[in-house]
Every structure is written in C-alpha cells, then in structure tokens.
C-alpha cells in the first residue's frame, strides 16, 4: 500500500484535531459551489449526445464498451439492481461525510490531504464538465435503463435534475471521491476489516455507476486517475511547503 499511496509514515507523533465546525463550513461551501457551477455549466443536449457517442467509440476502440452487457447480465434482477442502487445512493455522500468527520477527529494530516485533493479534483472536474458535456448511458440512446430513477425515486428527489448538470458524466467523481475516501481509510485505519472496507468501497461504487447506467467504464477510469493525480499533487505541495517553512539549519 505504501507503493500505491506514496506514504511512508502517516501517523504523526502529536495529534492536533482541526476545528470540526470550521471544516464543515469550508466543505459545505465547496459543495454548494460545486453543484451551483455544475448546474450553470450544463451543456446542450445535442453536444452531450455527440460527446457520448465519442466516448462509446473510444471505448470500442479500446475494447472497453461493455456497459449494456454488464447491466443486462448482472443488474437485470430486481434485487441485485436494488443493491447497486443503494450503493450508488448511500455509498457516496453519506460515506464521504462520515469518513471526513472521522479523519478530521482522528487523523488530521490525512484529513487535510484528502479534503484538499477532493476540492482540487472537484475544481478540475467542473472545468471538464463545462467544456466537454457528456450524456451518461441512462440519457444516451444506448438502450440502458436508469435503474436509480425507476426503482429509487428518493435520490432524484434529493438531487433533482433541475439543480444538477445531467451531462457531467466525465470524469466520474462518484468513483474518484470514493477512491479518495478508500485510500484515506486504508492509510489511517488500524483494524484490518476497516482497511478491507476502504478497498471495497471504490470497487463497489465502480460497479454501481456502470450497472445503474450513470457512467461509462472510461468515466470511472478518468475519475480515479484525476483524484489520484490530485492526491499526489497535494502530497507534493504539502511537502514542498513544509520544506520552505522549515528553519534553516534544521
């Protein structure tokens, strides 16, 4: 895991918790901006459909276009579909909130790195959403079923289409941010079962976004690549800043 995360020593000798209230305000502000910009930058339907066709052609060229087959094969059963709907709905924002609070109270350095990587990747994601709108499989003419809307109306009520960018498919921050939480959990946790949970979270979300027709396979790859790049960028910047602030001769 040290090779994957670039970590050598992750638990500082002295633990200094951050101010939880202040962090909640920062994150809520970032989330409001994120969803606000997503809504304001929603691309045209024709452009989103055209770009979706480009994504599908790209996946076919790479041999990755299996979304329809995967949904028909593994999510056609109502009970199985419900499980992945729940993962998509409850395995994202609730998991992010609980993980960030736990990290903020117990593992300050890892929390700050995770928070900053999340904000940075969200900012980059908004630029991509605005310049490259893509219709997700559920809104593209691919014959796939929007299982979340069909079976779980609560999600679309809590996050109505009128307030979100329906064409922000690439990259998948559902996968990317769950991966960030998973990496942070693996690094911070001491119990093996918690580390295993951290590994399983992004895997389950990747399956969920594809099976529910909310993202393409390449979206998940792009989301994971973006957030991991931001994870290491934040690590580099933090180390660079620490060196600059270190007194001379120490």
């Amino acid at each position: 895991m040290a090779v994957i995360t670039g970590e050598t020593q992750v638990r500082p000798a002295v633990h200094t918790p951050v101010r939880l209230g202040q962090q909640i305000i920062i994150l809520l502000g970032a989330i409001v901006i994120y969803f606000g910009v997503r809504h304001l930058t929603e691309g045209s339907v024709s452009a989103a459909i055209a770009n979706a066709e480009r994504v599908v052609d790209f996946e076919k060229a790479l041999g990755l276009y299996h979304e329809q087959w995967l949904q028909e094969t593994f999510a056609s059963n109502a009970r199985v579909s419900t499980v992945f709907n729940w993962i998509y709905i409850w395995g994202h924002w609730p998991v992010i909130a609980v993980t960030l609070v736990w990290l903020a109270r117990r593992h300050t350095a890892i929390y700050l790195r995770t928070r900053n990587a999340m904000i940075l990747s969200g900012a980059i994601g908004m630029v991509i959403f605005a310049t490259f709108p893509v219709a997700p499989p559920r809104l593209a003419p691919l014959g796939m079923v929007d299982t979340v809307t069909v079976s779980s109306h609560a999600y679309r009520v809590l996050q109505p289409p009128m307030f979100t960018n329906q064409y922000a498919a690439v990259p998948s921050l559902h996968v990317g941010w769950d991966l960030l939480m998973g990496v942070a959990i693996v690094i911070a946790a001491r119990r093996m079962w918690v580390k295993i949970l951290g590994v399983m979270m992004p895997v389950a979300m990747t399956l969920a976004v594809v099976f529910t027709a909310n993202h393409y396979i390449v979206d998940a790859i792009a989301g994971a690549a973006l957030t991991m790049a931001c994870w290491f960028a934040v690590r580099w910047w933090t180390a660079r800043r620490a060196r600059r602030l270190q007194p001379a001769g120490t």
Side-chain angles (χ1 to χ4, degrees):
M1 181 54 67
V3 174
I4 297 175
T5 62
E7 299 289 339
T8 53
Q9 179 64 35
V10 298
R11 295 188 180 91
V14 179
H15 170 65
T16 307
V18 297
R19 294 181 180 179
L20 191 57
Q22 181 185 59
Q23 296 304 312
I24 290 174
I25 292 173
I26 292 172
L27 288 170
L28 284 179
I31 290 169
V32 169
I33 293 172
Y34 171 73
F35 279 111
V37 172
R38 272 185 54 158
H39 170 59
L40 293 174
T41 59
E42 183 170 78
S44 69
V45 175
S46 59
I49 295 295
N51 287 334
E53 293 174 353
R54 293 186 178 94
V55 169
V56 169
D57 289 342
F58 179 64
E59 286 195 339
K60 288 179 177 178
L62 297 177
L64 293 176
Y65 181 63
H66 305 296
E67 286 83 350
Q68 187 173 10
W69 176 82
L70 287 169
Q71 186 182 67
E72 292 174 351
T73 303
F74 298 103
S76 57
N77 180 278
R79 292 182 179 179
V80 175
S81 177
T82 298
V83 169
F84 286 106
N85 289 343
W86 286 353
I87 292 173
Y88 181 80
I89 297 169
W90 303 109
H92 188 56
W93 286 114
V95 167
I96 289 173
V98 170
T99 302
L100 289 177
V101 170
W102 172 65
L103 291 172
R105 302 306 299 169
R106 300 284 187 89
H107 308 278
T108 305
I110 301 173
Y111 162 76
L112 292 172
R113 181 174 172 185
T114 305
R115 181 204 67 182
N116 293 342
M118 184 178 175
I119 292 174
L120 178 59
S121 59
I124 296 172
M126 287 189 293
V127 174
I128 299 173
F129 300 152
T131 57
F132 189 67
V134 177
R138 62 187 175 83
L139 296 179
L142 300 174
M144 297 186 69
V145 178
D146 182 354
T147 62
V148 174
T149 296
V150 170
S151 305
S152 306
H153 298 290
Y155 183 74
R156 301 301 178 206
V157 171
L158 292 171
Q159 192 172 307
M162 68 181 68
F163 295 124
T164 60
N165 184 344
Q166 292 293 284
Y167 306 117
V170 181
S172 172
L173 293 181
H174 259 74
V175 171
W177 285 349
D178 267 37
L179 178 59
L180 274 180
M181 299 305 120
V183 169
I185 288 171
V186 170
I187 294 172
R190 296 177 180 175
R191 293 181 175 87
M192 182 54 65
W193 71 268
V194 181
K195 291 180 180 289
I196 293 173
L197 181 63
V199 172
M200 292 176 60
M201 279 171 37
V203 174
M205 183 56 71
T206 299
L207 296 176
V209 300
V210 174
F211 291 173
T212 61
N214 276 282
H215 285 283
Y216 303 93
I217 292 173
V218 75
D219 299 350
I221 296 172
L226 171 62
T227 53
M228 285 297 94
C230 292
W231 174 265
F232 285 105
V234 169
R235 175 178 180 268
W236 172 82
W237 176 256
T238 302
R240 182 174 181 269
R241 185 170 180 270
R243 287 194 298 269
R244 291 179 62 183
L245 295 176
Q246 188 175 24
T250 60

